[in-house]
Amino acid sequence: MNARLSELLSSAPPYPRRVVCMTEETTEVLYRIGAGDLVVGVSGFTVRPPEARKKPRVSSFLDANFERILELKPDLVLGFSDLQADLGRELCKRGVPVYLFNQRSVAEILQSVRLTGALVGRAEDAARLADELTANLERHAEAADRLPRRPRIFFEEWHEPLISSIRWVSELVELAGGEDVCRESRASHGAKGRIFEPEEVARRNPDAVIASWCGRKAKREKIASRPGWGEVRAVVDDQLYEVRSSYILQPGPAALSDGVEQLARIVAAVARGEKLPEQRKGDLRSAL
C-alpha cells in the first residue's frame, strides 16, 4: 500500500473498537456475538450479561455522564429512541460518533440486531443471532396454534397513569397465543398514546393481566382495587401476573428469548384454565 495512504488510513480502524452502549440491548447483542470486548461503557440499568456490569457505567436512560464517556475515548456510542435524542445531540457536538436506534416492533428489533453487528464488522455473527431469535419465535408461534383458545390479555407497563404495552410486547403477546385487548394502541410510538382509563380496560374484560412496571415491582392490590375492576375476569379468577421489565421492556434479544418464553407460559396456562404459582405469598403470579 502507498505509504501516504497507509498513514491516512491509520487514523481510524476499519470498524469501531471502543463502543459505549447507553441502553442494555446493544450491550447484550455485542456480547452474544462475541464482541463484548469492544464495550467500554454501559448503562447503569444493564443487567445482562452479568459480566457487562463490570464495565464503567456512564448513563441512565435519560441522563449521561458526558465527561466520563469522553474519557473512555469511544469511536461509537449506541443509544435508543427519541428519548435519548438530546444525549446523542450533545455527544455529536462533542465530536463523538453516535447511532440511535428506534426499534418498536419485533421485526425492527431483529433488524437492530443485524445493524449492531454490522456497525462493528460482525455482520455474519449478528445475522446468526437474529436467525436464532427468529427460530425461537417460530417455535412459540407453532405452540400457540395448538392452544385450546386465545385468552384476552391486558399487558401494562405502568400503573399511574395506566399504560398499555409497547408495540413489540403487544406483538409477542399475540404471537404467544393471546389477544391484546388494547391492540390498537401499539401504533403509538410514545407512551402518551397508550394511556387508558382503568374503567375502559375493565370494560374490555381481560382474562389475564400481565404487569411490567418499568423497573418497579408490580403490586397485586394496586391492580385489583382499580375502579370497576372487581368483576374483571382476570381479577375474579386471580390470573394476575408479573414479568419483570428487564426481561420484556428492553427491545433486544432478552425480549425475544426470555421475555417471550414467560409470556408463552402465562398465556398457555390461562388458555388451559390453569394458574402459574406465586413467587411469594401475596405476590403476583410468575412464569419464572
Side-chain angles (χ1 to χ4, degrees):
M1 180 182 291
N2 177 276
R4 185 169 297 171
L5 175 60
S6 179
E7 182 180 357
L8 290 174
L9 297 181
S10 68
S11 63
Y15 294 96
R17 288 295 175 262
R18 297 183 62 81
V19 182
V20 165
C21 301
M22 295 194 295
T23 53
E24 181 187 83
E25 65 275 358
T26 47
T27 300
E28 185 182 7
V29 169
L30 291 172
Y31 271 85
R32 288 191 63 167
I33 65 174
D37 59 309
L38 304 182
V39 178
V40 296
V42 299
S43 162
F45 292 122
T46 298
V47 297
R48 65 169 55 77
E51 56 266 34
R53 292 178 61 82
K54 299 175 183 177
K55 300 292 179 80
R57 301 180 194 182
V58 298
S59 67
S60 62
F61 190 60
L62 298 178
D63 297 289
N65 185 333
F66 298 115
E67 299 306 323
R68 184 69 179 112
I69 291 174
L70 292 175
E71 288 172 2
L72 295 172
K73 302 185 186 307
D75 45 14
L76 178 63
V77 172
L78 300 175
F80 169 67
S81 87
D82 53 302
L83 296 176
Q84 291 195 328
D86 289 341
L87 305 183
R89 182 184 301 111
E90 181 61 27
L91 288 166
C92 282
K93 288 166 61 176
R94 298 186 185 213
V96 179
V98 177
Y99 192 105
L100 288 182
F101 292 95
N102 208 17
Q103 67 270 29
R104 290 298 198 282
S105 68
V106 169
E108 289 168 352
I109 291 174
L110 291 168
Q111 181 190 74
S112 73
V113 169
R114 294 184 175 94
L115 276 172
T116 300
L119 287 169
V120 298
R122 304 288 184 92
E124 291 184 3
D125 296 322
R128 281 193 290 271
L129 174 58
D131 290 344
E132 174 189 326
L133 294 169
T134 301
N136 183 58
L137 296 177
E138 178 66 23
R139 177 174 65 84
H140 284 295
E142 291 175 352
D145 288 341
R146 298 190 292 271
L147 293 177
R149 68 185 183 101
R150 295 182 66 87
R152 294 165 54 78
I153 306 294
F154 176 61
F155 187 104
E156 56 181 76
E157 65 176 58
W158 196 243
H159 60 114
E160 294 176 347
L162 190 56
I163 300 176
S164 66
S165 59
I166 199 164
R167 179 174 174 177
W168 72 80
V169 178
S170 174
E171 291 177 344
L172 291 175
V173 165
E174 297 202 335
L175 182 142
E179 296 283 354
D180 178 4
V181 299
C182 294
R183 186 182 194 278
E184 77 277 9
S185 67
R186 74 188 189 193
S188 173
H189 264 231
K192 288 183 179 180
R194 293 183 279 113
I195 294 175
F196 286 84
E197 291 299 325
E199 294 87 348
E200 174 57 23
V201 178
R203 187 188 66 79
R204 300 184 185 201
N205 198 26
D207 296 307
V209 172
I210 304 173
S212 188
W213 287 1
C214 293
R216 180 174 176 178
K217 184 176 177 62
K219 300 291 186 181
R220 178 189 297 272
E221 62 272 16
K222 288 277 190 181
I223 296 172
S225 64
R226 289 170 180 153
W229 280 51
E231 297 181 1
V232 170
R233 178 53 53 193
V235 175
V236 172
D237 291 346
D238 193 20
Q239 293 283 22
L240 306 177
Y241 291 87
E242 181 176 29
V243 175
R244 291 203 298 268
S245 57
S246 60
Y247 289 108
I248 195 67
L249 294 184
Q250 302 277 10
L256 307 190
S257 54
D258 296 341
V260 72
E261 177 72 28
Q262 292 184 47
L263 291 179
R265 291 179 188 171
I266 293 168
V267 171
V270 178
R272 295 175 180 132
E274 302 167 353
K275 296 178 185 178
L276 298 181
E278 303 168 341
Q279 290 287 293
R280 290 190 297 269
K281 186 173 177 56
D283 281 357
L284 294 171
R285 299 183 184 280
S286 171
L288 290 175

